[in-house]
Amino acid sequence: MQHSSRSSRLLTAGTAAAVSVLLLTSCTSSKRHTAPTPTRTSSSTAATSAPSSPASPTATPSPASIAFSDCSSQFQTAIGGSRAKKMTFSCGKLSVPLDYAKPAGNTIQLFVLKVHPKAQRQRIGSLLVNPGGPGGSGVNLAAGLVNALSDDVFNHFDLVGFDPRGVGLSQPLQCIPDREKDRLAAADPDVRTAAGQAQARAASQAVARACVAKYGSGLGQYNTEETARDMDLIRQAVGDSKLNYLGFSYGTRLGAAYAHQFPTHVRAEVLDGALDPVTSELAQDEQQTKAFEQAFDQFAADCMARPACAVLGNPRAVVTSMIAAADRQPIHSSRDGETRVATGGIVTIGVLSALYDQSDWTSLGNALISAEHGDAAGLFTLADTYLERDEDTGHYSNIMDANLAVNCNDSRLKVTDALVAGEARQWIAKYPIFGRNAAASLYSCY
């Protein structure tokens, strides 16, 4: 599936606990984070994000270079473990054109992390990684992979992660204030109705206007095609003649866009959870919604087989009922200082968040049992992890902002009220837990 990514902000968090979330990022999705109802997939197709012919070599400035500096102590402390102590971590920034059609114009800086063993043998080159999103941090993914990849990989490759343009530490887009993100996450409009459509439209338009007012015409350059060009400059800057790449979910679309533009620059690509480049945006949205429903059924079967979780009863009936009830009367949380209440939107996101990894199923079961007894603290924890919201400060990463910008710049879907209402009726009938959220997300680029 595509996130969003659940990567934590390693450089600002600076704790091993923060890094523990990073490995989950490798299963992130790229569902467009919608204004009214954020989810984790990208519904654009690879074809819409790539040019009709490979890019001309003259379109990318050369040579590219990165002045790396040692940042080992910070990352070793944050990651922990004996493996990290054997690694050298180097941090640097790469200047790239904001608009590759104007290579001498404005530039932006990308944050790049390079990791390799202090005693590396048989080096072949670098392995560039991307976790998905769009909006996931490749820096965090690289840090999280330090304890996951084999010695054999590290003996042959430097691990390179970068925050894509507009993401994390690469001049992040910041369109939506934290309080507004809280409101958008809680929203649960029923877009089968005129009132629900108006609510979803208004929320999406308010976010878009704020973003355009802040960034102007340059906002259009935050897209998959330009990010793929950035990757080629990174390849040059780390001294590789050809690219080695590992991408998950939306990262597979990014890898495909790179291969399309620079077919002679690829040594090897691994595209995990690949998006079908010829499937329509609506079909991709429906496929992901169906997959979430199927994943929920797997959780439900596991829950009913475990005595501690089976006390919940029928998980599907419980969640369906809970979403509707929470929209009428939101659920309070026992967490100290928590002022939010959990609407149906929060219940949906909390459940969805736990379906990316079976290790989260116990937490989901416990959260649902607690919510049945009037305490939404567990659901908020799951939702906040998915949305990259710090529970202590209430501050979000910019994954919603970047996800919206990239997906909307890539999208070619023409959204109308009639189209959304029609899909909503079908999807809610077929996918009773996630269909409503998915249908509302169609308005994100309205």
Side-chain angles (χ1 to χ4, degrees):
M1 317 292 332
Q2 313 148 55
H3 199 195
S4 86
S5 110
R6 288 189 284 177
S7 57
S8 52
R9 298 175 298 288
L10 173 66
L11 294 183
T12 54
T15 64
V19 179
S20 68
V21 186
L22 296 175
L23 293 180
L24 301 181
T25 312
S26 63
C27 298
T28 67
S29 84
S30 63
K31 176 81 182 162
R32 58 166 82 80
H33 268 294
T34 116
T37 48
T39 57
R40 234 188 274 221
T41 44
S42 166
S43 44
S44 304
T45 64
T48 63
S49 62
S52 58
S53 60
S56 164
T58 60
T60 50
S62 186
S65 63
I66 302 174
F68 281 108
S69 60
D70 188 273
C71 52
S72 298
S73 61
Q74 186 176 4
F75 277 88
Q76 288 168 349
T77 300
I79 296 170
S82 58
R83 168 70 78 80
K85 294 179 181 178
K86 299 176 182 178
M87 297 290 173
T88 296
F89 296 80
S90 302
C91 297
K93 291 187 176 181
L94 173 65
S95 182
V96 301
L98 174 62
D99 183 353
Y100 277 88
K102 302 173 182 176
N106 293 334
T107 62
I108 55 176
Q109 290 193 316
L110 308 180
F111 191 94
V112 182
L113 171 68
K114 181 171 67 172
V115 187
H116 62 83
K118 295 176 181 177
Q120 189 179 48
R121 302 177 179 86
Q122 300 177 312
R123 183 183 184 278
I124 293 173
S126 305
L127 175 62
L128 186 67
V129 298
N130 179 274
S137 168
V139 172
N140 282 354
L141 175 60
L145 289 174
V146 165
N147 288 324
L149 296 178
S150 68
D151 289 338
D152 192 47
V153 171
F154 277 111
N155 282 335
H156 290 89
F157 297 96
D158 298 341
L159 181 62
V160 176
F162 76 108
D163 283 354
R165 55 174 55 207
V167 173
L169 298 171
S170 295
Q171 295 186 220
L173 295 170
Q174 300 283 0
C175 300
I176 316 169
D178 291 333
R179 183 172 296 181
E180 179 68 4
K181 288 178 180 177
D182 280 343
R183 190 182 71 80
L184 295 175
D188 192 25
D190 185 348
V191 293
R192 292 171 296 182
T193 68
Q197 292 167 10
Q199 180 185 357
R201 281 198 312 270
S204 297
Q205 289 169 344
V207 172
R209 287 172 184 145
C211 214
V212 172
K214 186 171 183 179
Y215 295 103
S217 60
L219 186 63
Q221 304 310 316
Y222 294 86
N223 58 58
T224 298
E225 179 181 335
E226 301 287 77
T227 302
R229 292 176 184 244
D230 293 341
M231 288 166 52
D232 200 57
L233 290 189
I234 294 172
R235 175 195 62 79
Q236 295 176 38
V238 297
D240 288 352
S241 59
K242 291 184 181 293
L243 180 77
N244 302 289
Y245 176 75
L246 170 63
F248 299 93
S249 193
Y250 162 79
T252 69
R253 181 152 62 93
L254 189 55
Y258 180 89
H260 181 82
Q261 294 185 68
F262 304 101
T264 63
H265 296 182
V266 177
R267 176 185 176 273
E269 286 193 343
V270 176
L271 307 181
D272 190 318
L275 304 181
D276 186 341
V278 297
T279 300
S280 71
E281 295 183 41
L282 280 176
Q284 284 192 20
D285 276 0
E286 181 170 5
Q287 287 171 2
Q288 171 147 316
T289 306
K290 180 180 180 180
F292 277 127
E293 293 281 341
Q294 292 172 336
F296 183 85
D297 286 338
Q298 293 170 18
F299 156 75
D302 176 80
C303 177
M304 289 187 287
R306 289 184 291 111
C309 190
V311 298
L312 184 67
N314 183 325
R316 177 170 284 279
V318 167
V319 170
T320 303
S321 163
M322 186 181 294
I323 292 171
D327 278 334
R328 295 190 301 268
Q329 185 173 346
I331 309 167
H332 289 264
S333 168
S334 64
R335 181 178 172 83
D336 289 343
E338 180 64 82
T339 59
R340 297 173 297 168
V341 289
T343 62
I346 293 297
V347 175
T348 303
I349 295 170
V351 173
L352 179 150
S353 175
L355 299 180
Y356 282 88
D357 195 301
Q358 291 183 14
S359 66
D360 288 335
W361 286 1
T362 298
S363 295
L364 175 57
N366 292 338
L368 291 172
I369 292 169
S370 295
E372 280 280 272
H373 291 86
D375 183 4
L379 288 174
F380 272 122
T381 295
L382 290 169
D384 287 347
T385 299
Y386 174 75
L387 297 172
E388 299 191 5
R389 182 188 191 272
D390 188 298
E391 281 193 326
D392 294 325
T393 66
H395 179 63
Y396 289 80
S397 78
N398 84 311
I399 192 167
M400 272 199 224
D401 315 70
N403 191 285
L404 181 72
V406 174
N407 275 323
C408 292
N409 283 330
D410 285 356
S411 179
R412 299 295 180 267
L413 181 66
K414 301 300 181 184
V415 176
T416 64
D417 291 340
L419 179 145
V420 174
E423 297 301 321
R425 285 190 291 270
Q426 295 182 51
W427 291 356
I428 292 172
K430 291 190 285 188
Y431 318 116
I433 294 179
F434 301 109
R436 177 164 161 171
N437 180 278
S441 78
L442 295 174
Y443 273 111
S444 61
C445 300
Y446 181 79

